[in-house]
DNA sequence: TTTAGCACTCGCTTTATTAGAGTGCTAACA
DNA sequence: TGTTAGCACTCTAATAAAGCGAGTGCTAAA
């Protein structure tokens, strides 16, 4: 539908606008090396491209700016193949060459490096803990009334809850309880714990433990992991550098969304298939993100999706570079995690 | 040195400037209810106050603005006694009436409520974990190579480290080790752990544990709590509302400081005596905080300082209100914590 | 000592002016 | 028929000029 020349012009407009941030005029365009025809010709073509909705004017006699549709087309069909500099590659691989033993740290580091390299904001949705398998439960009494319940998973994830104990409970009962729990529940995925306790543990408790009812309720409440999945954010402040957010009100609107985290959680969860996904402007379907694009990738272990890693920037984003970087980080992260999980 | 009338004028200028954010002129002042004399008189007095350095002009024919010295005098001698609204008081006390069993949550909540009520940023320096006493150490093997070491203190604080085990170690040895550690170290403050291990535990290890050397080093590294004390921040984005930071560059400078956390840590640590402390502008001695004031208070248990809670805002801050709120929160937090600790 | 009055100073807002970048259209050219 | 040069026109952004208003300092009178 679009001629080669139109495609060329569209591509150069987007490239140039991403580079400079200013609307692109026909004269500027005609001076680009790839362009062999005159500014008048370009003007004609631009009029067509505008009619088709790929580019827009900011005012009647201004240069052109890519529309959302234009960005979409650019991302889908015109992305220049960007080779990352070896510096970038090295920076990224350096984190994965270090021996890092903590999942959270590794993820946090990935997010940080990505936001540093892109100058945008990075969001990572951590692996859902629900599928991790219980390694051990410990209940450690702190004083007469309270104890801290600690759950450790096979991935090294640790969660703690401070709980109140019934005043009458015997220390030996707590110990007995913990033993029963570990005996029965080790290896069970966290999201099945509550169930399993009801079906398999409850009746044993009933036999052996005083106050079993109270204890069961306590367990249920502290095992009910309301924390859905950890979210890691890095480079929030990079948004301050983007000229599209030099307006303090827009900035505030955006930060509101970022700080809420809820929306992001939804957006990142949506991404289910493998590979890179680019959502431009209103495609995100979040009020206040009309001027933002979100590029997401999943990371996985042995083909099974673990979480999502994403870069948030203005629609005028360096798509090509960000996609390449994100791809690399996601791949390396997946590799690192696969190694990690294989140790079991 | 200052006449009563000058004091009155200074006070009204500061109050009015804090309220409106605009330089205060003699005519505006003369209309205030407390003021019984004419604008010309005020002009004369203002000239004197300016000469003494308490107020400044933003330009030659502008109204007056408090200087840093002016704020200082105001805070030291002219603070209007503010009675908090009962709403404010209720809001604050509501958090402390709930039963909250986790120290971190309680502190985080205090910070949040304070930033919500003041519309400024709140920083809390958590209790230094170093003085907490060890309740138990657990080492939970995850797979052949790694284990997670968990430290629990008498306050319910939990810290974890993923560690590598030497391939040759026997599970029974790990168990033995943990037993020895708990036997010898329970009740020892965290910052003495390393020491105690060297003096009391090392030789026992030597007798009973293979690879004792490696294990000791591992323990040392995972017990060396480089985390000095947790810092909780709340309401960072409130700074976006302050007109003094409508300039994006100033905003960025400030956020840089806030995100670094290092400076704050230093500032909050400095505050050692009891009571409220107000640091205005350059008194903070941090580049980029010339336009900010920091109001700090300590919270404590039984008279012993545990941590610091602070509100950061522009020099044009509602000192009176913030001081009252901070005072209340710090007091209530101390009470709540005293209750908490008494349970032992 | 206080106050009224007045000349004067600036910052801020509005209005004009201009330069520059860009467009659309037309007519001529290959 | 597609391409290009040329031209009139539009609009922004930057700069200058003008007027308003809030405020000052000084003087002289009460």
């Amino acid at each position: 539908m679009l001629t080669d020349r139109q495609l060329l012009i569209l591509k150069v407009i987007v490239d140039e606008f991403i580079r400079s941030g200013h609307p692109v005029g026909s004269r500027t365009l005609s001076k680009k090396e790839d362009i062999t025809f005159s500014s008048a010709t370009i003007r004609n073509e631009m009029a067509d491209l505008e009619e088709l909705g790929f580019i827009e004017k900011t005012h009647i006699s201004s240069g052109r700016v890519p529309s959302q549709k234009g960005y979409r087309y650019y991302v889908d069909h015109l992305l220049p193949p960007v080779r990352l500099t070896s510096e970038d590659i090295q920076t990224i691989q350096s984190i994965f060459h270090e021996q890092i033993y903590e999942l959270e740290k590794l993820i946090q580091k990935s997010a940080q490096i990505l936001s540093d390299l892109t100058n945008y904001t990075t969001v990572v949705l951590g692996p859902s803990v629900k599928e991790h398998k219980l390694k051990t439960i410990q209940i450690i009494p702190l004083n007469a009334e309270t104890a801290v319940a600690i759950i450790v998973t096979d991935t090294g994830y640790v969660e703690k809850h401070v709980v109140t104990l019934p005043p009458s409970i015997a220390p030996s009962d707590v110990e007995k309880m913990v033993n029963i729990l570990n005996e029965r529940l080790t290896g069970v995925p966290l999201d099945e714990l509550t169930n399993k306790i009801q079906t398999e543990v409850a009746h044993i408790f009933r036999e052996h433990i005083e106050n079993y009812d109270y204890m069961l309720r306590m367990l249920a409440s502290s095992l009910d992991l309301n924390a859905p999945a950890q979210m890691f954010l890095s480079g929030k402040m990079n948004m301050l550098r983007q000229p599209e957010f030099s307006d303090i009100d827009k900035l505030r609107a955006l930060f509101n969304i970022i700080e809420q985290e809820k929306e992001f959680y939804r957006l990142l969860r949506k991404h289910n298939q493998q590979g890179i996904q680019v959502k431009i402007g209103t495609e995100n379907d979040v009020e206040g993100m009309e001027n933002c694009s979100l590029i997401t990738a999943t990371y996985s272990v042995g083909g099974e999706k673990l979480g999502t890693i994403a870069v948030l920037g203005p629609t005028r984003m360096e798509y090509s570079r960000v996609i390449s970087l994100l791809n690399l980080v996601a791949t390396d992260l997946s590799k690192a995690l696969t190694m990690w999980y294989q140790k079991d």
Side-chain angles (χ1 to χ4, degrees), chain A:
Chain A
M1 185 158 136
L2 291 180
T3 66
D4 282 356
R5 193 164 67 189
Q6 286 173 324
L7 291 183
L8 175 60
I9 290 176
L10 178 56
K11 175 177 178 311
V12 178
I13 289 177
V14 179
D15 281 337
E16 181 59 19
F17 181 66
I18 287 176
R19 199 189 59 74
S20 73
H22 299 299
V24 186
S26 58
R27 229 180 83 85
T28 322
L29 221 47
S30 71
K31 285 190 198 133
K32 289 269 144 188
E33 46 179 337
D34 297 341
I35 306 282
T36 54
F37 31 89
S38 77
S39 64
T41 310
I42 296 172
R43 281 200 289 284
N44 286 330
E45 297 287 31
M46 290 208 294
D48 288 350
L49 283 171
E50 182 170 7
E51 212 162 297
L52 292 167
F54 291 102
I55 52 180
E56 299 168 343
K57 289 187 257 195
T58 59
H59 62 266
I60 189 111
S61 76
S62 75
R64 303 308 210 289
V65 155
S67 67
Q68 181 166 321
K69 184 174 170 189
Y71 281 123
R72 172 48 60 201
Y73 196 91
Y74 174 86
V75 167
D76 288 343
H77 304 108
L78 302 174
L79 272 190
V82 164
R83 46 246 154 302
L84 299 170
T85 68
S86 57
E87 270 172 88
D88 289 342
I89 297 177
Q90 267 188 341
T91 314
I92 291 174
Q93 299 195 325
S94 69
I95 27 168
F96 295 105
H97 283 151
E98 292 172 40
Q99 287 284 51
I100 299 182
Y101 293 107
E102 262 153 272
L103 202 57
E104 289 95 332
K105 278 192 196 152
L106 190 62
I107 290 177
Q108 185 70 64
K109 209 97 194 264
S110 308
Q112 198 209 317
I113 211 128
L114 205 47
S115 67
D116 284 353
L117 287 178
T118 59
N119 265 310
Y120 301 122
T121 300
T122 303
V123 199
V124 187
L125 197 63
S128 163
V129 206
K130 290 181 187 167
E131 288 149 32
H132 294 196
K133 290 174 190 136
L134 184 73
K135 198 83 195 181
T136 178
I137 290 182
Q138 308 271 321
I139 294 178
I140 294 146
L142 297 177
N143 53 45
E145 285 177 44
T146 55
V148 47
I150 297 177
I151 294 170
V152 184
T153 71
D154 58 345
T155 58
Y157 172 80
V158 174
E159 190 165 306
K160 69 148 187 175
H161 288 269
V162 176
V163 297
T164 13
L165 297 176
S168 59
I169 195 149
S172 65
D173 260 14
V174 175
E175 209 174 304
K176 227 189 289 174
M177 205 173 87
V178 172
N179 285 338
I180 297 173
L181 289 172
N182 280 312
E183 215 168 281
R184 299 282 160 165
L185 299 179
T186 303
V188 172
L190 295 197
D191 62 344
E192 291 173 24
L193 277 184
T194 322
N195 230 327
K196 210 86 172 182
I197 289 179
Q198 288 307 327
T199 58
E200 295 197 13
V201 179
H203 67 276
I204 310 183
F205 267 35
R206 200 168 301 135
E207 281 171 39
H208 296 88
I209 314 274
E210 250 182 284
N211 283 88
Y212 75 91
D213 197 39
Y214 180 97
M215 296 311 276
L216 278 176
R217 259 183 290 123
M218 179 211 76
L219 275 174
S221 77
S222 70
L223 289 179
D224 186 26
L225 341 127
N226 41 4
Q230 292 167 286
M231 222 167 77
F232 303 85
L233 269 154
S234 180
K236 270 187 263 188
M237 293 310 156
N238 285 350
M239 285 306 184
L240 289 177
R241 287 175 222 245
Q242 304 304 330
E244 17 275 293
F245 294 104
S246 58
D247 176 20
I248 214 122
D249 285 322
K250 280 192 192 148
L251 196 66
R252 197 152 64 208
L254 181 63
F255 275 135
N256 271 338
I257 300 172
I258 294 183
E259 299 259 296
Q260 288 250 329
E261 300 202 350
K262 209 179 56 195
E263 287 294 352
F264 274 109
Y265 187 71
R266 197 171 59 76
L267 286 177
L268 300 200
R269 279 303 288 274
K270 257 202 232 164
H271 186 169
N272 273 316
Q273 329 89 300
Q274 277 229 309
I276 297 264
Q277 210 176 67
V278 181
K279 291 281 184 187
I280 300 163
T282 58
E283 293 172 8
N284 288 301
D285 209 14
V286 174
E287 207 174 333
M289 276 184 64
E290 298 80 14
N291 300 313
C292 294
S293 286
L294 188 70
I295 306 186
T296 52
T298 55
Y299 58 92
S300 51
V301 165
E304 196 185 342
K305 178 196 160 185
L306 273 197
T308 312
I309 179 163
V311 175
L312 172 75
T315 44
R316 185 182 77 77
M317 193 196 248
E318 292 183 73
Y319 292 96
S320 186
R321 181 174 155 76
V322 172
I323 290 174
S324 306
L325 286 170
L326 187 57
N327 219 338
L328 184 54
V329 171
T331 313
D332 280 9
L333 182 58
S334 295
K335 271 190 221 154
L337 292 175
T338 304
M339 295 252 298
W340 163 284
Y341 276 84
Q342 267 175 358
K343 275 190 274 179
D344 295 340

